[in-house]
Amino acid sequence: MFKNFVVLSLLFHANTIMGAKKPKLIVFDLDYTLWPFWVDTHVTPPFKRGPSGKIADFYGQIVKCYPEVPEVLNKLHQEGYVLAVASRTGEIEGAEELLELFGWNKYITYKEIYPGRKVTHFENFKKKSGIPLQDMLFFDDETRNINDLRSHGVTSILVKNGVTKGVVEAGLKQYEKEHSA
């Protein structure tokens, strides 16, 4: 136990000395952030994976995520970041199905998927994880959500054309900039 404390303490001090401030929780919206549609209006659950490995909705329409998302989530997970998703959709089951079919549940520690304000989602993340809002980084395509969470101390990044490696790198730099003393 003491050894773990020493290692964590050294890592904390190394990050502080080098100026590398990293978020303790990275949160992604779903619609038009991880995938290019609204799950409650543009596709029709239930979803299934076909013999070709592609995911399709009830009518056979192929459902895809933004191209770089799987790699981004995998890399962040491998780097030790804790990941979460927050969505205001009313199509909770459909969103959950897609997270499972895309294989992303292995990366996601916390989920808040239901209608309402994103601030409520983040307050629940704070309760469940013990992580303060100012230690979170958030990616979303809606300005209202970005503004709401910025006013609560969350570093929030507006996503215009889906999550990419570049968007996430810029978000991590913005987080570091906002947290360097």
Side-chain angles (χ1 to χ4, degrees):
M1 178 125 139
F2 179 72
K3 181 180 174 185
N4 288 345
F5 174 76
V6 171
V7 170
L8 288 172
S9 182
L10 288 172
L11 286 172
F12 174 77
H13 290 298
N15 278 346
T16 303
I17 291 167
M18 296 180 340
K21 301 285 185 177
K22 295 185 176 184
K24 293 181 182 170
L25 182 66
I26 300 177
V27 182
F28 296 94
D29 173 49
L30 296 176
D31 296 339
Y32 286 100
T33 301
L34 296 185
W35 50 59
F37 52 84
W38 286 311
V39 72
D40 57 353
T41 59
H42 292 135
V43 291
T44 307
F47 303 100
K48 65 180 179 182
R49 184 177 304 282
S52 66
K54 293 181 180 177
I55 299 167
D57 76 353
F58 178 78
Y59 294 106
Q61 177 183 335
I62 301 301
V63 177
K64 295 180 182 179
C65 62
Y66 285 110
E68 294 183 19
V69 168
E71 183 181 350
V72 165
L73 295 177
N74 182 48
K75 184 174 188 239
L76 290 171
H77 179 74
Q78 286 182 345
E79 291 176 359
Y81 288 101
V82 179
L83 305 179
V85 294
S87 178
R88 299 162 51 118
T89 187
E91 183 50 67
I92 299 163
E93 285 183 35
E96 289 278 6
E97 275 183 356
L98 288 176
L99 290 170
E100 180 64 33
L101 288 167
F102 283 128
W104 299 343
N105 281 332
K106 63 187 169 205
Y107 306 128
I108 298 167
T109 303
Y110 302 102
K111 295 181 202 174
E112 294 291 321
I113 304 172
Y114 48 83
R117 290 185 64 218
K118 288 279 172 90
V119 172
T120 304
H121 294 115
F122 276 73
E123 286 296 333
N124 286 329
F125 289 142
K126 180 180 164 184
K127 286 177 193 168
K128 291 175 181 177
S129 70
I131 298 170
L133 295 178
Q134 65 269 19
D135 291 338
M136 298 181 190
L137 172 60
F138 176 49
F139 296 90
D140 196 312
D141 68 305
E142 290 189 54
T143 304
R144 66 180 170 163
N145 297 329
I146 296 297
N147 292 338
D148 275 354
L149 287 156
R150 279 186 183 152
S151 71
H152 285 82
V154 177
T155 300
S156 301
I157 308 301
L158 184 64
V159 176
K160 295 185 179 176
N161 296 303
V163 163
T164 64
K165 291 179 258 182
V167 166
V168 171
E169 286 170 13
L172 290 168
K173 286 179 185 172
Q174 181 64 34
Y175 181 90
E176 186 175 347
K177 180 181 172 186
E178 290 180 16
H179 291 80
S180 34

